């Protein structure tokens, strides 16, 4: 158990050598699956918050590699948590049932609490507005795959920068590598938290806050947008006010460099109209597909 690794935050996936090994394995799995790689392994998915892609891509990854899955998809209402079971007890019991646990929970830090008591690897599949490290892993892979490198790029992060855990995790990961510039495009109510900005600047990231997405689109390699996280905002009046900020119209996307890409972790609501999907720069469905292969490589590493 001494080499047991949890994936809680981007800190756990930041090592460049490890990252590139995962990406090399991902490339191999994309070309040719190894249907016996996880044979005999059982992974538990425990989701206390809604999910389509994250849970199903983990489950697809395990099963396509010959492993098996047990799952609580609506743990907030269907698990023993409703009877008052603590995360510590859930961790002890799940550790006896499965070889790894993938967990999502609305409370920041809750997955780390479960991991503290677990005796098998635990993967944070999103804890509130805090972190979503495996999304950052697949986003980083996608950037490398599409752009040839995840270094020396110009980014625009657009939308709910305050609550988007996928943006928090990806910003943290890219800031560990030299980048040209990062534009932060959000309504005033949804700006990136001060402490996060301070940390990113300390790492040398050149940040510029703006509210003009059309002005920055021609200047960037990557636009990463995310819906307004209504469930975390918890304020209908503010939601109504900001929900249509920064719609990435086809007109705007067409002004991006030809080699540029538009990313979004999905689900999207109205921030990217469907007519953008046919533009070759729209990469969110390729991004989602990469998620299965990246999670395969990650699980193979954690369970080896
Ligand atoms: C995101 C999430 O759950 O944080 N989705 C995902 O995991 N692909 C983004 C979101 O919910 O907007």
């Amino acid at each position: 158990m001494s080499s047991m690794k949890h994936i809680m935050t981007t800190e756990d996936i930041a090592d460049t050598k490890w990252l590139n090994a995962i990406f090399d394995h991902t490339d191999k799995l994309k070309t040719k699956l190894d249907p016996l790689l996880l044979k005999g392994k059982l992974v538990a998915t425990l989701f206390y918050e809604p999910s389509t892609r994250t849970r199903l891509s983990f489950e697809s990854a395990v099963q396509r590699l010959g492993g098996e899955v047990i799952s609580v998809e609506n743990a907030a209402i269907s698990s023993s948590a409703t009877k008052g079971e603590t995360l510590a007890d859930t961790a002890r019991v799940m550790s006896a049932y499965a070889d790894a646990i993938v967990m999502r929970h609305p409370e920041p830090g809750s997955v780390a609490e479960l991991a503290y008591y677990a005796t098998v690897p635990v993967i944070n599949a999103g804890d509130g507005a805090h972190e979503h490290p495996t999304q950052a892993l697949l986003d980083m892979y996608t950037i490398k795959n599409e752009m040839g490198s995840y270094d020396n790029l110009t980014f625009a992060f657009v939308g709910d920068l305050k609550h988007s855990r996928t943006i928090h995790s990806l910003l943290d990961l890219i800031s560990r590598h030299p980048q040209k510039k990062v534009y932060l495009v959000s309504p005033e109510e949804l700006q990136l938290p001060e402490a996060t900005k301070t940390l990113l600047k300390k790492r040398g990231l050149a940040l510029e806050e703006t509210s003009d997405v059309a002005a920055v689109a021609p200047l960037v390699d990557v636009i990463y947008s995310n819906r307004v996280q209504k469930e975390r905002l918890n304020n209908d009046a503010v939601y109504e006010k900001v929900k249509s900020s920064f719609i990435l119209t086809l007109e705007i996307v067409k002004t991006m460099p030809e080699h540029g890409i538009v990313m979004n972790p999905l689900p999207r609501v109205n921030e990217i109209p469907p007519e953008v999907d046919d533009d070759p720069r729209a990469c969110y469905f390729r991004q989602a597909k990469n998620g299965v292969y990246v999670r395969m490589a990650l699980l193979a590493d954690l369970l080896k």
Side-chain angles (χ1 to χ4, degrees), residues 142-162:
T142 301
I143 293 165
K144 188 175 181 212
N145 201 251
E146 300 272 336
M147 310 296 301
S149 167
Y150 47 64
D151 289 348
N152 295 314
L153 298 170
T154 303
F155 295 85
F157 286 86
V158 183
D160 186 348
L161 308 186
K162 184 174 181 186

Side-chain angles (χ1 to χ4, degrees), residues 49-55 104 125-128 131-132 134-135 138 163-167 224-229 231-232 264-269 271 287-288 295:
E49 229 192 31
S51 167
T52 306
R53 266 151 299 274
T54 304
R55 186 170 68 84
R104 169 173 287 188
D127 59 335
E131 280 241 30
H132 194 347
T134 67
Q135 181 71 39
L138 78 92
H163 302 105
S164 170
R165 57 194 174 199
T166 79
I167 289 180
Y224 191 108
S225 80
N226 195 192
R227 71 188 170 91
V228 176
Q229 309 276 296
E231 69 279 27
R232 293 186 223 297
N264 186 297
L266 304 176
R268 69 170 148 181
V269 185
E271 70 275 17
Q287 182 186 352
R295 288 177 171 128

